[in-house]
Amino acid sequence: MITLLDRPIWSALTTTHKGLAEGDGLARRYQPGFLPMAGMAVDTSQAATDFAAFVRPGETLYVLQADPVLAPAGLETVVATEAVQMIAQHVPVAAADEAIVALGAEDAEEMLALATLTKPGPFSLKSQALGRFWGVRESGRIVAMAGERMRQPGFTELSGVCTHPDYRGKGYARRLSLHVAGQIVKAGARPYLHAFASNMAAIGLYETIGFSLRRSMHVAALRRPD
């Protein structure tokens, strides 16, 4: 069952997030406005054709999978890099943290501003439709956050971990990651996450809260020219 995570976007959009999917055949994408992410069931010419069919002119979609990503005809590769997928082996029980609060729809614009500044990965005003988010406020504004993104039966991705540059060094990323992972476990799923392979600081942080490497991954941004 864990092989669902080899192509996490495809597996999310054909199971738990099926209601947020667009496309048919051997490719799916998140509906515009949710996440600029898409996936294929297999790497075949038919899957590539199905994928290319839903990419709008000037649009860029991200693909994340275990196999190298090959751009379908008509699309160009804007970015191609290596990532890691980590999965929770044992999440330490976190002490109650009164600084961490649940974030809601009324926080969407502030969350997007923080994500735009810190670039933790694809994020939108509708990202809360994917899962729950929590944050830390200082002087009334959100200075750090983390939440849930992709979901598959039995698994939930920890994502969107970010801290405003002016508030780094306070341990917010670790505290929020530990909190979100604990909430995922409490809900009956197993937490997993992704990080760029070059981001050793993030990988080291996640190892301290019970995550270990599951496998290497490939991420690419594919764009259809205007």
Side-chain angles (χ1 to χ4, degrees):
M1 185 176 180
I2 204 168
T3 55
L4 282 171
L5 302 185
D6 287 351
R7 292 174 182 262
I9 302 172
W10 167 262
S11 60
L13 290 172
T14 52
T15 58
T16 311
H17 279 170
K18 188 175 182 178
L20 302 176
E22 179 181 295
D24 52 24
L26 296 172
R28 299 284 190 282
R29 62 168 289 169
Y30 279 93
Q31 296 170 12
F34 286 92
L35 279 179
M37 297 174 67
M40 293 174 278
V42 290
D43 294 320
T44 64
S45 59
Q46 185 58 58
T49 297
D50 294 343
F51 185 102
F54 54 53
V55 186
R56 279 74 164 171
E59 184 177 39
T60 298
L61 293 179
Y62 290 85
V63 179
L64 174 69
Q65 60 184 43
D67 300 307
V69 181
L70 303 177
L75 305 182
E76 59 186 15
T77 302
V78 180
V79 174
T81 190
E82 295 184 0
V84 296
Q85 184 179 88
M86 304 180 74
I87 193 161
Q89 302 299 335
H90 171 69
V91 178
V93 177
D97 194 331
E98 294 183 356
I100 296 176
V101 297
L103 301 177
E106 67 279 7
D107 301 307
E109 291 191 6
E110 193 175 355
M111 293 165 67
L112 178 60
L114 180 60
T116 301
L117 174 67
T118 57
K119 297 177 172 55
F123 196 88
S124 76
L125 287 173
K126 295 183 178 180
S127 287
Q128 289 183 64
L130 309 177
R132 302 167 294 173
F133 276 82
W134 292 266
V136 173
R137 292 183 179 277
E138 286 202 19
S139 301
R141 68 169 178 166
I142 300 171
V143 299
M145 69 176 184
E148 303 167 332
R149 189 168 65 178
M150 290 185 284
R151 297 169 181 263
Q152 300 81 12
F155 301 96
T156 298
E157 182 193 23
L158 163 61
S159 185
V161 182
C162 57
T163 303
H164 191 286
D166 294 344
Y167 295 87
R168 289 174 181 162
K170 297 187 175 186
Y172 288 153
R174 185 181 190 280
R175 289 160 59 186
L176 280 163
S177 297
L178 187 57
H179 179 82
V180 176
Q183 293 297 314
I184 292 171
V185 171
K186 189 179 295 186
R190 189 172 181 185
Y192 74 101
L193 56 84
H194 297 96
F196 288 115
S198 59
N199 194 347
M200 299 307 297
I203 293 170
L205 181 153
Y206 295 132
E207 288 176 338
T208 68
I209 61 170
F211 286 81
S212 64
L213 177 68
R214 176 180 172 261
R215 65 166 306 149
S216 60
M217 301 287 283
H218 296 271
V219 59
L222 305 180
R223 180 180 182 273
R224 182 180 293 283
D226 294 319

